[in-house]
Amino acid sequence: MEKFTKLTGVAAPLPLINVDTDMIIPKQFLKTIQRSGLGKNLFDEMRYDREGNEIEDFVLNKPAYREAKILVAGENFGCGSSREHAPWALLDFGIRCVIAPSFADIFYNNCFKNGILPIVLPQEQVDLLMDDAERGSNAVVTVDLENLTISGPDGGSIAFTLDEFRRHCLLNGLDDIGLTMEKVGEIDTFEAEYEGRAPWLKAG
């Protein structure tokens, strides 16, 4: 998993509440177990009409936001079903940070497992960042995970908090497998000792 230390990029505003995982990636795109290729279908029903043409008014179709790396959203983002394809689609599009007043628990946890930083802020601070995000290509925001700060285009800074374990995992690019591999030395030692006590396990 790619490390997350400091992210600078355009922030896209999505001032909607209760954006569920079916809105993030509709059910017809859940047939794959590949993490790549889903970005083109992110927010599919909001981005495209029935003929597959882009809807110009949708934020990620606007030229200024086509390469957005940060999403500023409304409360209860990622509610609905527990599909892990939702963070996969966000990441494949290029979004590595979502800022909102609240998140659905399962989506929130899935973000960390896929290298996405979900930041919870009070509504008034989200509103300030939403205003910044409305500036189009000038809506450049820096998220500094090491110092737990968000810097806006005018140089103002907002502090945020994060569980230290989750912060450690993102800073070091550790998913569940990576966390296990950190203990590989201890695992090898245990296996060797256990085989010594139970040699029949290697029989045959």
Side-chain angles (χ1 to χ4, degrees), residues 43-204:
F43 298 117
D44 190 85
E45 293 176 0
M46 291 190 281
R47 280 173 72 189
Y48 308 104
D49 62 23
R50 293 185 178 181
E51 285 70 46
N53 302 307
E54 288 188 355
I55 299 172
E56 293 182 3
D57 288 342
F58 184 67
V59 61
L60 296 183
N61 290 337
K62 296 178 180 180
Y65 299 108
R66 285 183 178 273
E67 297 184 8
K69 297 181 180 180
I70 299 163
L71 190 66
V72 184
E75 63 181 303
N76 199 30
F77 188 86
C79 57
S81 64
S82 60
R83 64 191 67 171
E84 196 168 6
H85 293 68
W88 292 357
L90 286 163
L91 191 63
D92 192 61
F93 181 87
I95 292 172
R96 294 208 64 201
C97 178
V98 182
I99 302 169
S102 62
F103 293 89
D105 288 343
I106 295 176
F107 174 83
Y108 184 79
N109 292 328
N110 281 339
C111 281
F112 290 103
K113 294 179 180 180
N114 290 282
I116 295 175
L117 172 60
I119 298 176
V120 178
L121 290 176
Q123 185 66 59
E124 58 269 22
Q125 292 183 330
V126 173
D127 290 342
L128 290 173
L129 291 170
M130 195 74 74
D131 287 341
D132 286 340
E134 295 285 354
R135 301 184 185 191
S137 57
N138 292 321
V140 177
V141 172
T142 296
V143 178
D144 186 338
L145 183 56
E146 291 182 314
N147 294 303
L148 297 173
T149 59
I150 304 168
S151 301
D154 291 332
S157 182
I158 294 173
F160 66 94
T161 60
L162 187 66
D163 174 82
E164 186 55 36
F165 173 73
R166 297 185 188 278
R167 179 171 173 270
H168 167 79
C169 291
L170 282 178
L171 286 172
N172 293 281
L174 298 173
D175 56 12
D176 289 347
I177 294 174
L179 283 167
T180 302
M181 295 306 294
E182 279 195 317
K183 306 293 184 182
V184 68
E186 296 172 39
I187 293 170
D188 289 344
T189 298
F190 170 81
E191 288 180 343
E193 292 176 349
Y194 194 79
E195 286 176 1
R197 296 196 304 270
W200 58 86
L201 292 175
K202 299 186 71 174

